[in-house]
Structures are given as structure tokens and as C-alpha cells.
Amino acid sequence: MQRIVYLDGQYINENDAKISIFDRGFLFGDAVYEVTAVINGKLIENEGHMLRLQRSCSELQIALPVTVEEITSIQEELIKSNQLDEGGIYLQISRGSAGDRDFGYPGADVKPTLVLFTQARDLLNSPKATKGIKVITTEDIRWKRRDIKTVGLLAPCMAKQGALDKHVDDAWLVEDGYITEGSSNNAYIVTTEGVLVTRPLSNDILHGITRKALLELAEKEKIKIEERLFTAEEAYQANEAFVSSATTFVWPVIEIDGKKIGSGKPGTVAMKLREIYIELATQTAELKDGSKPFNKERLDTQRLAI
Ligand code: PMP
């Protein structure tokens, strides 16, 4: 089935959506993006994603072409027109096209290009969530502003493909001997003492919206948290490992570089966090009508540390 997608003010068939060859997203990777999960046809944690989108745009001096409220209406319209029950909505804003190739940013007369499309996915019943995933570690060759969610994703694509070529699911990236994050997710371990360890926020990693929610849930569960650097060697010795992102929620990691983590089965902390995150997300999705944030109080009292 062909999707209805959104391109610069129009809802059109995916085959009819065309963008200029001079679009800076295409020429320079000069674009930012967000992915919001959808459960029961409702947006999950969208306010957090919109906050991060505004922050990415402001770091790159890209003006939002429409308001955040309008973006949310577009997302809801696409959910309806594509009858999306479960999956995600991809959103991309590029700096637009100045009609030629030139490194310097074009003037304010060039309007950013806004694209949104839906992706139907089985998020709740993914086999990777119940079986866990295997990862390898690989050098983190990305740029130094990983806190900005840009479409310049060739390095993570190479890392992911390197993992697939080795018949595992994903790659954990390593810089100066320490894990930064997964190719498209945040990385965590649970030590033999039961401490949840994940890298602290900085420009070295993407400030995951799911990471923020999970750390708050873990705190409520009285799990000891340490936001600090950790090595692959420490991860090999851990009781558990897992990853988080908007559309995976939590996936246990059962093997790193061919070494079994803990029992080699999905860990209890990872599965518990997945369960309570989904419970909260699903409840919120059922209770609220999409236009409302996932947990407004949380976002208002503690703005994203980005
Ligand atoms: N790190 C990276 C590099 C990512 O690409 C993603 C997913 N976009 C994440 C972390 C997780 O972020 P979020 O929980 O906001 O999806």
C-alpha cells in the first residue's frame, strides 16, 4: 500500500513526493530529524521529540518552517490517513534548496524543506525484545556534535552494516576506550552489584528521549544509577546490558563481541524497565488524545538537559 506522506504543506502519495537535487539535505546532509513512536494510533513522548527538534534546529540556525503545534497536527493527520496503529513517524527538516551548491548557509528567503512519513512496525511484540540482541564493538568515527540529531548518518550505517556482516544485530561505538552509544540507540549495563550504568550526557552522544524516561523510571524503582563512562571490558563482565530508543523502547543485549552477558539471556532489570516504560507509554497513549504530551509535568519541571 502506498503511503500518504507530507511534503512542504502537501499531503501526497509517496510516489509523487519530489525534492530538488539542490536540497541541502541531499547535497550536504544539512538536515535534522526526529522519530516519534506510535502506539494505538497515538504519539509517544512527542513533546520531548519536539523539544529536541527545536534544539537541533537552533544549534544549526535552521528556522522551523511551521510551528510545533502544526507539526503535531501533521503527525496526527498522517496517522489517520495511513491508519497507523503501531510504528513510528519520521520527520525531517533540511535547510532547503538555494538552487545551486554552495557551502555557506543561504539567506532567510530560502525555506527549509519539511518531510514527514509513517512507518508501520511491530513495536510491542518485537522478537528482539524477548530474545535480546547481539552486538559487536567498533570504533566511533562520527563527528563531535552527536547531540544534534542530524541526518549525517553514514558512520552509524557503516557500523550497523559491519555488525550485520558479522551476523549480529548492532554495533556499540567506542571512543578513547569507552562506549559512547549504539549505532542508533543509547547503551547501558547493569553491574554485578545491580548498578545501572550509562554514559553521561555531553556532545558525545544523542540525548535520548527514551533514556531520560528510563532513568526516571529506574530511579522510582530504587535502582542505583551511575551516569559515567564504561569500557567494553566492563560490559563483558556485567550482569546485563541493554539499549534504548524511541521505537525499540528497551532491547536486552545478550552478547557483546561474542561474549555472553550474564546468563546470556535477557536481564531482569532490562525487561522490567521495558515493561514499565511500555505500561506508562500505552496508558498515556490511551488516556490522552495525541495532542497532549506523554508526561507534561516531567518535561515542564525538568527541561531536557540538552
Ligand atoms: N543514540 C543515537 C545515536 C540514536 O540514533 C538514537 C535514536 N534516534 C538514540 C540514541 C535514542 O534516542 P531516542 O530515545 O530519543 O530515540
Side-chain angles (χ1 to χ4, degrees), residues 33-36 45 48-49 52 142 146 149 153 156 173 181-188 205-212 244-249 277:
Y33 77 106
E34 280 297 332
V35 180
T36 304
E45 296 233 66
H49 290 283
R52 189 172 60 191
R142 299 174 301 164
R146 302 159 193 159
K149 198 164 169 65
L153 295 173
L173 310 175
E181 56 191 329
S183 69
S184 61
N185 43 55
N186 289 115
Y188 311 74
I205 60 168
L206 187 76
H207 299 194
I209 305 303
T210 321
R211 175 189 182 281
K212 183 170 169 55
S244 77
S245 74
T247 52
T248 61
F249 311 136
Y277 179 82

PDB file of all heavy atoms in Angstrom, residues 33-36 45 48-49 52 142 146 149 153 156 173 181-188 205-212 244-249 277, ligand 1:
ATOM      1  N   TYR A  33      16.425  15.500  12.052  1.00  0.00           N
ATOM      2  CA  TYR A  33      15.262  14.612  12.017  1.00  0.00           C
ATOM      3  C   TYR A  33      14.824  14.216  13.416  1.00  0.00           C
ATOM      4  O   TYR A  33      15.541  14.458  14.394  1.00  0.00           O
ATOM      5  CB  TYR A  33      15.558  13.365  11.167  1.00  0.00           C
ATOM      6  CG  TYR A  33      16.427  12.315  11.832  1.00  0.00           C
ATOM      7  CD1 TYR A  33      15.881  11.122  12.286  1.00  0.00           C
ATOM      8  CD2 TYR A  33      17.791  12.516  12.011  1.00  0.00           C
ATOM      9  CE1 TYR A  33      16.672  10.147  12.900  1.00  0.00           C
ATOM     10  CE2 TYR A  33      18.580  11.557  12.618  1.00  0.00           C
ATOM     11  CZ  TYR A  33      18.021  10.370  13.059  1.00  0.00           C
ATOM     12  OH  TYR A  33      18.805   9.423  13.670  1.00  0.00           O
ATOM     13  N   GLU A  34      13.656  13.629  13.487  1.00  0.00           N
ATOM     14  CA  GLU A  34      13.138  13.041  14.725  1.00  0.00           C
ATOM     15  C   GLU A  34      12.287  11.836  14.350  1.00  0.00           C
ATOM     16  O   GLU A  34      11.709  11.798  13.260  1.00  0.00           O
ATOM     17  CB  GLU A  34      12.247  14.029  15.506  1.00  0.00           C
ATOM     18  CG  GLU A  34      12.985  15.056  16.335  1.00  0.00           C
ATOM     19  CD  GLU A  34      13.825  14.450  17.467  1.00  0.00           C
ATOM     20  OE1 GLU A  34      13.490  13.372  17.974  1.00  0.00           O
ATOM     21  OE2 GLU A  34      14.838  15.079  17.820  1.00  0.00           O
ATOM     22  N   VAL A  35      12.232  10.874  15.246  1.00  0.00           N
ATOM     23  CA  VAL A  35      11.332   9.735  15.067  1.00  0.00           C
ATOM     24  C   VAL A  35      10.500   9.606  16.338  1.00  0.00           C
ATOM     25  O   VAL A  35      11.058   9.489  17.432  1.00  0.00           O
ATOM     26  CB  VAL A  35      12.107   8.420  14.832  1.00  0.00           C
ATOM     27  CG1 VAL A  35      11.127   7.253  14.659  1.00  0.00           C
ATOM     28  CG2 VAL A  35      13.035   8.531  13.631  1.00  0.00           C
ATOM     29  N   THR A  36       9.184   9.666  16.187  1.00  0.00           N
ATOM     30  CA  THR A  36       8.288   9.513  17.340  1.00  0.00           C
ATOM     31  C   THR A  36       7.561   8.178  17.201  1.00  0.00           C
ATOM     32  O   THR A  36       7.037   7.871  16.123  1.00  0.00           O
ATOM     33  CB  THR A  36       7.254  10.659  17.380  1.00  0.00           C
ATOM     34  OG1 THR A  36       7.952  11.907  17.388  1.00  0.00           O
ATOM     35  CG2 THR A  36       6.372  10.566  18.616  1.00  0.00           C
ATOM     36  N   GLU A  45       5.594  10.324  23.769  1.00  0.00           N
ATOM     37  CA  GLU A  45       6.659  11.258  24.176  1.00  0.00           C
ATOM     38  C   GLU A  45       6.949  12.314  23.104  1.00  0.00           C
ATOM     39  O   GLU A  45       8.108  12.719  22.934  1.00  0.00           O
ATOM     40  CB  GLU A  45       7.963  10.500  24.474  1.00  0.00           C
ATOM     41  CG  GLU A  45       7.868   9.559  25.651  1.00  0.00           C
ATOM     42  CD  GLU A  45       8.963   9.807  26.659  1.00  0.00           C
ATOM     43  OE1 GLU A  45       8.951  10.886  27.270  1.00  0.00           O
ATOM     44  OE2 GLU A  45       9.813   8.931  26.819  1.00  0.00           O
ATOM     45  N   GLY A  48       8.830  15.668  24.024  1.00  0.00           N
ATOM     46  CA  GLY A  48      10.284  15.562  24.158  1.00  0.00           C
ATOM     47  C   GLY A  48      10.969  15.608  22.797  1.00  0.00           C
ATOM     48  O   GLY A  48      11.973  16.284  22.615  1.00  0.00           O
ATOM     49  N   HIS A  49      10.390  14.894  21.828  1.00  0.00           N
ATOM     50  CA  HIS A  49      10.979  14.893  20.480  1.00  0.00           C
ATOM     51  C   HIS A  49      10.898  16.287  19.853  1.00  0.00           C
ATOM     52  O   HIS A  49      11.824  16.724  19.168  1.00  0.00           O
ATOM     53  CB  HIS A  49      10.299  13.840  19.599  1.00  0.00           C
ATOM     54  CG  HIS A  49      10.634  12.447  20.025  1.00  0.00           C
ATOM     55  ND1 HIS A  49      11.841  11.848  19.737  1.00  0.00           N
ATOM     56  CD2 HIS A  49       9.946  11.539  20.764  1.00  0.00           C
ATOM     57  CE1 HIS A  49      11.881  10.635  20.273  1.00  0.00           C
ATOM     58  NE2 HIS A  49      10.742  10.425  20.896  1.00  0.00           N
ATOM     59  N   ARG A  52      13.588  18.486  21.385  1.00  0.00           N
ATOM     60  CA  ARG A  52      14.917  18.191  20.835  1.00  0.00           C
ATOM     61  C   ARG A  52      15.030  18.699  19.400  1.00  0.00           C
ATOM     62  O   ARG A  52      16.081  19.189  18.988  1.00  0.00           O
ATOM     63  CB  ARG A  52      15.203  16.695  20.919  1.00  0.00           C
ATOM     64  CG  ARG A  52      16.645  16.354  20.569  1.00  0.00           C
ATOM     65  CD  ARG A  52      16.979  14.901  20.830  1.00  0.00           C
ATOM     66  NE  ARG A  52      16.144  14.017  20.060  1.00  0.00           N
ATOM     67  CZ  ARG A  52      16.080  12.693  20.256  1.00  0.00           C
ATOM     68  NH1 ARG A  52      16.805  12.127  21.192  1.00  0.00           N
ATOM     69  NH2 ARG A  52      15.296  11.948  19.511  1.00  0.00           N
ATOM     70  N   ARG A 142      32.223   8.962  14.279  1.00  0.00           N
ATOM     71  CA  ARG A 142      31.297  10.067  13.985  1.00  0.00           C
ATOM     72  C   ARG A 142      31.897  11.425  14.321  1.00  0.00           C
ATOM     73  O   ARG A 142      32.931  11.519  14.975  1.00  0.00           O
ATOM     74  CB  ARG A 142      29.995   9.862  14.761  1.00  0.00           C
ATOM     75  CG  ARG A 142      29.269   8.581  14.394  1.00  0.00           C
ATOM     76  CD  ARG A 142      28.075   8.365  15.291  1.00  0.00           C
ATOM     77  NE  ARG A 142      28.463   8.287  16.686  1.00  0.00           N
ATOM     78  CZ  ARG A 142      27.627   8.401  17.708  1.00  0.00           C
ATOM     79  NH1 ARG A 142      26.346   8.599  17.485  1.00  0.00           N
ATOM     80  NH2 ARG A 142      28.067   8.318  18.961  1.00  0.00           N
ATOM     81  N   ARG A 146      27.373  14.968  18.329  1.00  0.00           N
ATOM     82  CA  ARG A 146      26.390  13.879  18.256  1.00  0.00           C
ATOM     83  C   ARG A 146      25.121  14.208  19.027  1.00  0.00           C
ATOM     84  O   ARG A 146      24.152  13.461  18.979  1.00  0.00           O
ATOM     85  CB  ARG A 146      27.010  12.592  18.810  1.00  0.00           C
ATOM     86  CG  ARG A 146      28.258  12.224  18.038  1.00  0.00           C
ATOM     87  CD  ARG A 146      29.123  11.300  18.855  1.00  0.00           C
ATOM     88  NE  ARG A 146      30.431  11.201  18.243  1.00  0.00           N
ATOM     89  CZ  ARG A 146      31.506  10.811  18.876  1.00  0.00           C
ATOM     90  NH1 ARG A 146      31.445  10.470  20.154  1.00  0.00           N
ATOM     91  NH2 ARG A 146      32.664  10.753  18.262  1.00  0.00           N
ATOM     92  N   LYS A 149      20.700  16.032  16.293  1.00  0.00           N
ATOM     93  CA  LYS A 149      20.162  14.862  15.586  1.00  0.00           C
ATOM     94  C   LYS A 149      20.112  15.162  14.090  1.00  0.00           C
ATOM     95  O   LYS A 149      19.073  15.538  13.550  1.00  0.00           O
ATOM     96  CB  LYS A 149      18.780  14.511  16.149  1.00  0.00           C
ATOM     97  CG  LYS A 149      18.324  13.106  15.804  1.00  0.00           C
ATOM     98  CD  LYS A 149      17.166  12.701  16.684  1.00  0.00           C
ATOM     99  CE  LYS A 149      16.490  11.439  16.231  1.00  0.00           C
ATOM    100  NZ  LYS A 149      17.322  10.244  16.304  1.00  0.00           N
ATOM    101  N   LEU A 153      24.263  10.327   8.749  1.00  0.00           N
ATOM    102  CA  LEU A 153      24.281   9.053   9.481  1.00  0.00           C
ATOM    103  C   LEU A 153      25.115   7.965   8.798  1.00  0.00           C
ATOM    104  O   LEU A 153      24.904   6.779   9.052  1.00  0.00           O
ATOM    105  CB  LEU A 153      22.833   8.558   9.676  1.00  0.00           C
ATOM    106  CG  LEU A 153      21.961   9.444  10.573  1.00  0.00           C
ATOM    107  CD1 LEU A 153      20.514   8.966  10.550  1.00  0.00           C
ATOM    108  CD2 LEU A 153      22.481   9.465  11.998  1.00  0.00           C
ATOM    109  N   PRO A 156      27.124   5.719  11.432  1.00  0.00           N
ATOM    110  CA  PRO A 156      26.316   4.669  12.063  1.00  0.00           C
ATOM    111  C   PRO A 156      25.818   3.610  11.082  1.00  0.00           C
ATOM    112  O   PRO A 156      25.697   2.430  11.456  1.00  0.00           O
ATOM    113  CB  PRO A 156      25.130   5.409  12.676  1.00  0.00           C
ATOM    114  CG  PRO A 156      25.395   6.852  12.532  1.00  0.00           C
ATOM    115  CD  PRO A 156      26.632   7.068  11.748  1.00  0.00           C
ATOM    116  N   LEU A 173      29.501   1.689  19.852  1.00  0.00           N
ATOM    117  CA  LEU A 173      30.589   2.523  19.367  1.00  0.00           C
ATOM    118  C   LEU A 173      31.545   2.860  20.518  1.00  0.00           C
ATOM    119  O   LEU A 173      31.103   3.111  21.646  1.00  0.00           O
ATOM    120  CB  LEU A 173      30.009   3.782  18.730  1.00  0.00           C
ATOM    121  CG  LEU A 173      28.891   3.499  17.709  1.00  0.00           C
ATOM    122  CD1 LEU A 173      28.268   4.787  17.189  1.00  0.00           C
ATOM    123  CD2 LEU A 173      29.412   2.654  16.554  1.00  0.00           C
ATOM    124  N   GLU A 181      27.695   4.981  22.584  1.00  0.00           N
ATOM    125  CA  GLU A 181      26.294   4.539  22.488  1.00  0.00           C
ATOM    126  C   GLU A 181      26.206   3.508  21.362  1.00  0.00           C
ATOM    127  O   GLU A 181      27.209   3.141  20.759  1.00  0.00           O
ATOM    128  CB  GLU A 181      25.368   5.728  22.230  1.00  0.00           C
ATOM    129  CG  GLU A 181      25.734   6.525  20.993  1.00  0.00           C
ATOM    130  CD  GLU A 181      24.991   7.847  20.867  1.00  0.00           C
ATOM    131  OE1 GLU A 181      23.834   7.952  21.326  1.00  0.00           O
ATOM    132  OE2 GLU A 181      25.569   8.783  20.271  1.00  0.00           O
ATOM    133  N   GLY A 182      24.984   3.039  21.091  1.00  0.00           N
ATOM    134  CA  GLY A 182      24.780   2.123  19.978  1.00  0.00           C
ATOM    135  C   GLY A 182      24.679   2.898  18.680  1.00  0.00           C
ATOM    136  O   GLY A 182      24.652   4.134  18.693  1.00  0.00           O
ATOM    137  N   SER A 183      24.609   2.195  17.546  1.00  0.00           N
ATOM    138  CA  SER A 183      24.578   2.889  16.257  1.00  0.00           C
ATOM    139  C   SER A 183      23.338   3.776  16.146  1.00  0.00           C
ATOM    140  O   SER A 183      23.377   4.819  15.507  1.00  0.00           O
ATOM    141  CB  SER A 183      24.622   1.883  15.102  1.00  0.00           C
ATOM    142  OG  SER A 183      23.418   1.154  15.034  1.00  0.00           O
ATOM    143  N   SER A 184      22.235   3.385  16.791  1.00  0.00           N
ATOM    144  CA  SER A 184      21.037   4.234  16.776  1.00  0.00           C
ATOM    145  C   SER A 184      20.252   4.087  18.074  1.00  0.00           C
ATOM    146  O   SER A 184      19.024   4.047  18.067  1.00  0.00           O
ATOM    147  CB  SER A 184      20.155   3.877  15.575  1.00  0.00           C
ATOM    148  OG  SER A 184      19.745   2.522  15.674  1.00  0.00           O
ATOM    149  N   ASN A 185      20.983   4.007  19.176  1.00  0.00           N
ATOM    150  CA  ASN A 185      20.337   3.847  20.479  1.00  0.00           C
ATOM    151  C   ASN A 185      21.327   4.174  21.589  1.00  0.00           C
ATOM    152  O   ASN A 185      22.523   4.236  21.344  1.00  0.00           O
ATOM    153  CB  ASN A 185      19.809   2.410  20.645  1.00  0.00           C
ATOM    154  CG  ASN A 185      20.806   1.382  20.147  1.00  0.00           C
ATOM    155  OD1 ASN A 185      21.955   1.352  20.573  1.00  0.00           O
ATOM    156  ND2 ASN A 185      20.378   0.551  19.201  1.00  0.00           N
ATOM    157  N   ASN A 186      20.817   4.395  22.789  1.00  0.00           N
ATOM    158  CA  ASN A 186      21.691   4.606  23.947  1.00  0.00           C
ATOM    159  C   ASN A 186      22.017   3.247  24.570  1.00  0.00           C
ATOM    160  O   ASN A 186      21.229   2.307  24.475  1.00  0.00           O
ATOM    161  CB  ASN A 186      21.021   5.536  24.964  1.00  0.00           C
ATOM    162  CG  ASN A 186      20.958   6.980  24.464  1.00  0.00           C
ATOM    163  OD1 ASN A 186      19.884   7.521  24.246  1.00  0.00           O
ATOM    164  ND2 ASN A 186      22.102   7.592  24.246  1.00  0.00           N
ATOM    165  N   ALA A 187      23.210   3.164  25.173  1.00  0.00           N
ATOM    166  CA  ALA A 187      23.724   1.887  25.683  1.00  0.00           C
ATOM    167  C   ALA A 187      23.840   1.915  27.204  1.00  0.00           C
ATOM    168  O   ALA A 187      24.228   2.939  27.780  1.00  0.00           O
ATOM    169  CB  ALA A 187      25.096   1.617  25.062  1.00  0.00           C
ATOM    170  N   TYR A 188      23.516   0.777  27.826  1.00  0.00           N
ATOM    171  CA  TYR A 188      23.517   0.655  29.285  1.00  0.00           C
ATOM    172  C   TYR A 188      24.081  -0.701  29.682  1.00  0.00           C
ATOM    173  O   TYR A 188      23.928  -1.680  28.951  1.00  0.00           O
ATOM    174  CB  TYR A 188      22.090   0.682  29.860  1.00  0.00           C
ATOM    175  CG  TYR A 188      21.202   1.794  29.368  1.00  0.00           C
ATOM    176  CD1 TYR A 188      20.674   1.760  28.072  1.00  0.00           C
ATOM    177  CD2 TYR A 188      20.864   2.853  30.202  1.00  0.00           C
ATOM    178  CE1 TYR A 188      19.848   2.773  27.627  1.00  0.00           C
ATOM    179  CE2 TYR A 188      20.023   3.873  29.755  1.00  0.00           C
ATOM    180  CZ  TYR A 188      19.527   3.825  28.459  1.00  0.00           C
ATOM    181  OH  TYR A 188      18.701   4.825  28.010  1.00  0.00           O
ATOM    182  N   ILE A 205      27.154  12.027  22.765  1.00  0.00           N
ATOM    183  CA  ILE A 205      26.032  11.105  22.489  1.00  0.00           C
ATOM    184  C   ILE A 205      24.761  11.898  22.189  1.00  0.00           C
ATOM    185  O   ILE A 205      24.664  13.082  22.531  1.00  0.00           O
ATOM    186  CB  ILE A 205      25.738  10.139  23.670  1.00  0.00           C
ATOM    187  CG1 ILE A 205      25.371  10.896  24.951  1.00  0.00           C
ATOM    188  CG2 ILE A 205      26.911   9.204  23.902  1.00  0.00           C
ATOM    189  CD1 ILE A 205      24.803  10.008  26.053  1.00  0.00           C
ATOM    190  N   LEU A 206      23.803  11.205  21.581  1.00  0.00           N
ATOM    191  CA  LEU A 206      22.481  11.800  21.417  1.00  0.00           C
ATOM    192  C   LEU A 206      21.750  11.706  22.751  1.00  0.00           C
ATOM    193  O   LEU A 206      21.813  10.680  23.427  1.00  0.00           O
ATOM    194  CB  LEU A 206      21.685  11.059  20.335  1.00  0.00           C
ATOM    195  CG  LEU A 206      20.366  11.760  20.028  1.00  0.00           C
ATOM    196  CD1 LEU A 206      20.601  13.006  19.181  1.00  0.00           C
ATOM    197  CD2 LEU A 206      19.388  10.844  19.333  1.00  0.00           C
ATOM    198  N   HIS A 207      21.084  12.813  23.105  1.00  0.00           N
ATOM    199  CA  HIS A 207      20.361  12.842  24.386  1.00  0.00           C
ATOM    200  C   HIS A 207      18.999  12.175  24.187  1.00  0.00           C
ATOM    201  O   HIS A 207      18.015  12.823  23.828  1.00  0.00           O
ATOM    202  CB  HIS A 207      20.212  14.278  24.865  1.00  0.00           C
ATOM    203  CG  HIS A 207      21.533  14.950  25.086  1.00  0.00           C
ATOM    204  ND1 HIS A 207      21.673  16.125  25.759  1.00  0.00           N
ATOM    205  CD2 HIS A 207      22.797  14.581  24.718  1.00  0.00           C
ATOM    206  CE1 HIS A 207      22.953  16.470  25.805  1.00  0.00           C
ATOM    207  NE2 HIS A 207      23.661  15.545  25.163  1.00  0.00           N
ATOM    208  N   GLY A 208      18.987  10.875  24.374  1.00  0.00           N
ATOM    209  CA  GLY A 208      17.799  10.089  24.057  1.00  0.00           C
ATOM    210  C   GLY A 208      16.592  10.490  24.892  1.00  0.00           C
ATOM    211  O   GLY A 208      16.687  10.666  26.107  1.00  0.00           O
ATOM    212  N   ILE A 209      15.469  10.600  24.223  1.00  0.00           N
ATOM    213  CA  ILE A 209      14.219  10.907  24.913  1.00  0.00           C
ATOM    214  C   ILE A 209      13.815   9.687  25.753  1.00  0.00           C
ATOM    215  O   ILE A 209      13.345   9.822  26.884  1.00  0.00           O
ATOM    216  CB  ILE A 209      13.109  11.267  23.883  1.00  0.00           C
ATOM    217  CG1 ILE A 209      13.577  12.425  22.973  1.00  0.00           C
ATOM    218  CG2 ILE A 209      11.802  11.604  24.585  1.00  0.00           C
ATOM    219  CD1 ILE A 209      13.979  13.684  23.677  1.00  0.00           C
ATOM    220  N   THR A 210      14.047   8.489  25.213  1.00  0.00           N
ATOM    221  CA  THR A 210      13.726   7.262  25.948  1.00  0.00           C
ATOM    222  C   THR A 210      14.681   7.093  27.129  1.00  0.00           C
ATOM    223  O   THR A 210      14.265   6.673  28.217  1.00  0.00           O
ATOM    224  CB  THR A 210      13.830   6.038  25.011  1.00  0.00           C
ATOM    225  OG1 THR A 210      13.318   6.405  23.730  1.00  0.00           O
ATOM    226  CG2 THR A 210      13.043   4.861  25.548  1.00  0.00           C
ATOM    227  N   ARG A 211      15.949   7.445  26.933  1.00  0.00           N
ATOM    228  CA  ARG A 211      16.958   7.371  28.007  1.00  0.00           C
ATOM    229  C   ARG A 211      16.487   8.171  29.209  1.00  0.00           C
ATOM    230  O   ARG A 211      16.546   7.705  30.348  1.00  0.00           O
ATOM    231  CB  ARG A 211      18.295   7.917  27.476  1.00  0.00           C
ATOM    232  CG  ARG A 211      19.413   8.019  28.502  1.00  0.00           C
ATOM    233  CD  ARG A 211      20.599   8.783  27.909  1.00  0.00           C
ATOM    234  NE  ARG A 211      21.729   8.874  28.818  1.00  0.00           N
ATOM    235  CZ  ARG A 211      21.802   9.733  29.824  1.00  0.00           C
ATOM    236  NH1 ARG A 211      20.813  10.584  30.066  1.00  0.00           N
ATOM    237  NH2 ARG A 211      22.881   9.750  30.603  1.00  0.00           N
ATOM    238  N   LYS A 212      16.030   9.387  28.943  1.00  0.00           N
ATOM    239  CA  LYS A 212      15.590  10.278  30.027  1.00  0.00           C
ATOM    240  C   LYS A 212      14.437   9.641  30.817  1.00  0.00           C
ATOM    241  O   LYS A 212      14.460   9.599  32.046  1.00  0.00           O
ATOM    242  CB  LYS A 212      15.178  11.616  29.427  1.00  0.00           C
ATOM    243  CG  LYS A 212      14.763  12.647  30.445  1.00  0.00           C
ATOM    244  CD  LYS A 212      14.621  14.004  29.791  1.00  0.00           C
ATOM    245  CE  LYS A 212      13.947  15.000  30.709  1.00  0.00           C
ATOM    246  NZ  LYS A 212      14.618  15.133  32.007  1.00  0.00           N
ATOM    247  N   SER A 244      18.327   1.512  24.378  1.00  0.00           N
ATOM    248  CA  SER A 244      17.005   2.151  24.345  1.00  0.00           C
ATOM    249  C   SER A 244      16.919   3.121  23.173  1.00  0.00           C
ATOM    250  O   SER A 244      17.917   3.724  22.776  1.00  0.00           O
ATOM    251  CB  SER A 244      16.738   2.927  25.643  1.00  0.00           C
ATOM    252  OG  SER A 244      17.446   4.154  25.655  1.00  0.00           O
ATOM    253  N   SER A 245      15.716   3.227  22.623  1.00  0.00           N
ATOM    254  CA  SER A 245      15.412   4.262  21.625  1.00  0.00           C
ATOM    255  C   SER A 245      13.901   4.363  21.498  1.00  0.00           C
ATOM    256  O   SER A 245      13.170   3.527  22.038  1.00  0.00           O
ATOM    257  CB  SER A 245      16.039   3.926  20.266  1.00  0.00           C
ATOM    258  OG  SER A 245      15.325   2.877  19.655  1.00  0.00           O
ATOM    259  N   ALA A 246      13.462   5.390  20.748  1.00  0.00           N
ATOM    260  CA  ALA A 246      12.028   5.678  20.656  1.00  0.00           C
ATOM    261  C   ALA A 246      11.232   4.487  20.140  1.00  0.00           C
ATOM    262  O   ALA A 246      10.129   4.226  20.620  1.00  0.00           O
ATOM    263  CB  ALA A 246      11.800   6.887  19.762  1.00  0.00           C
ATOM    264  N   THR A 247      11.759   3.767  19.156  1.00  0.00           N
ATOM    265  CA  THR A 247      10.954   2.700  18.556  1.00  0.00           C
ATOM    266  C   THR A 247      11.331   1.293  19.035  1.00  0.00           C
ATOM    267  O   THR A 247      10.632   0.339  18.732  1.00  0.00           O
ATOM    268  CB  THR A 247      11.015   2.750  17.010  1.00  0.00           C
ATOM    269  OG1 THR A 247      12.375   2.786  16.629  1.00  0.00           O
ATOM    270  CG2 THR A 247      10.274   3.950  16.472  1.00  0.00           C
ATOM    271  N   THR A 248      12.449   1.163  19.780  1.00  0.00           N
ATOM    272  CA  THR A 248      12.749  -0.158  20.360  1.00  0.00           C
ATOM    273  C   THR A 248      12.310  -0.192  21.827  1.00  0.00           C
ATOM    274  O   THR A 248      12.161  -1.269  22.386  1.00  0.00           O
ATOM    275  CB  THR A 248      14.252  -0.493  20.291  1.00  0.00           C
ATOM    276  OG1 THR A 248      14.976   0.484  21.037  1.00  0.00           O
ATOM    277  CG2 THR A 248      14.759  -0.528  18.875  1.00  0.00           C
ATOM    278  N   PHE A 249      12.155   0.981  22.444  1.00  0.00           N
ATOM    279  CA  PHE A 249      11.925   1.136  23.895  1.00  0.00           C
ATOM    280  C   PHE A 249      13.167   0.587  24.598  1.00  0.00           C
ATOM    281  O   PHE A 249      14.128   1.308  24.750  1.00  0.00           O
ATOM    282  CB  PHE A 249      10.646   0.436  24.370  1.00  0.00           C
ATOM    283  CG  PHE A 249       9.433   0.756  23.530  1.00  0.00           C
ATOM    284  CD1 PHE A 249       8.552  -0.238  23.133  1.00  0.00           C
ATOM    285  CD2 PHE A 249       9.167   2.052  23.127  1.00  0.00           C
ATOM    286  CE1 PHE A 249       7.439   0.049  22.369  1.00  0.00           C
ATOM    287  CE2 PHE A 249       8.057   2.359  22.359  1.00  0.00           C
ATOM    288  CZ  PHE A 249       7.196   1.344  21.973  1.00  0.00           C
ATOM    289  N   TYR A 277       8.098   0.951  31.136  1.00  0.00           N
ATOM    290  CA  TYR A 277       8.091   2.039  30.143  1.00  0.00           C
ATOM    291  C   TYR A 277       6.883   1.879  29.210  1.00  0.00           C
ATOM    292  O   TYR A 277       6.158   2.833  28.946  1.00  0.00           O
ATOM    293  CB  TYR A 277       9.399   2.056  29.329  1.00  0.00           C
ATOM    294  CG  TYR A 277       9.386   3.156  28.281  1.00  0.00           C
ATOM    295  CD1 TYR A 277       9.708   4.466  28.621  1.00  0.00           C
ATOM    296  CD2 TYR A 277       9.000   2.894  26.966  1.00  0.00           C
ATOM    297  CE1 TYR A 277       9.651   5.484  27.678  1.00  0.00           C
ATOM    298  CE2 TYR A 277       8.936   3.905  26.026  1.00  0.00           C
ATOM    299  CZ  TYR A 277       9.269   5.192  26.389  1.00  0.00           C
ATOM    300  OH  TYR A 277       9.195   6.207  25.451  1.00  0.00           O
TER     301      TYR A 277
HETATM  302  N1  PMP B   1      21.571   7.495  20.135  1.00  0.00           N
HETATM  303  C1  PMP B   1      21.548   7.523  18.803  1.00  0.00           C
HETATM  304  C2  PMP B   1      22.837   7.637  18.057  1.00  0.00           C
HETATM  305  C3  PMP B   1      20.324   7.437  18.100  1.00  0.00           C
HETATM  306  O1  PMP B   1      20.315   7.475  16.757  1.00  0.00           O
HETATM  307  C4  PMP B   1      19.125   7.278  18.838  1.00  0.00           C
HETATM  308  C5  PMP B   1      17.800   7.121  18.144  1.00  0.00           C
HETATM  309  N2  PMP B   1      17.450   8.240  17.439  1.00  0.00           N
HETATM  310  C6  PMP B   1      19.199   7.263  20.245  1.00  0.00           C
HETATM  311  C7  PMP B   1      20.444   7.364  20.853  1.00  0.00           C
HETATM  312  C8  PMP B   1      17.957   7.117  21.092  1.00  0.00           C
HETATM  313  O2  PMP B   1      17.235   8.324  21.151  1.00  0.00           O
HETATM  314  P1  PMP B   1      15.661   8.317  21.390  1.00  0.00           P
HETATM  315  O3  PMP B   1      15.434   7.559  22.661  1.00  0.00           O
HETATM  316  O4  PMP B   1      15.312   9.754  21.533  1.00  0.00           O
HETATM  317  O5  PMP B   1      15.056   7.671  20.203  1.00  0.00           O
END
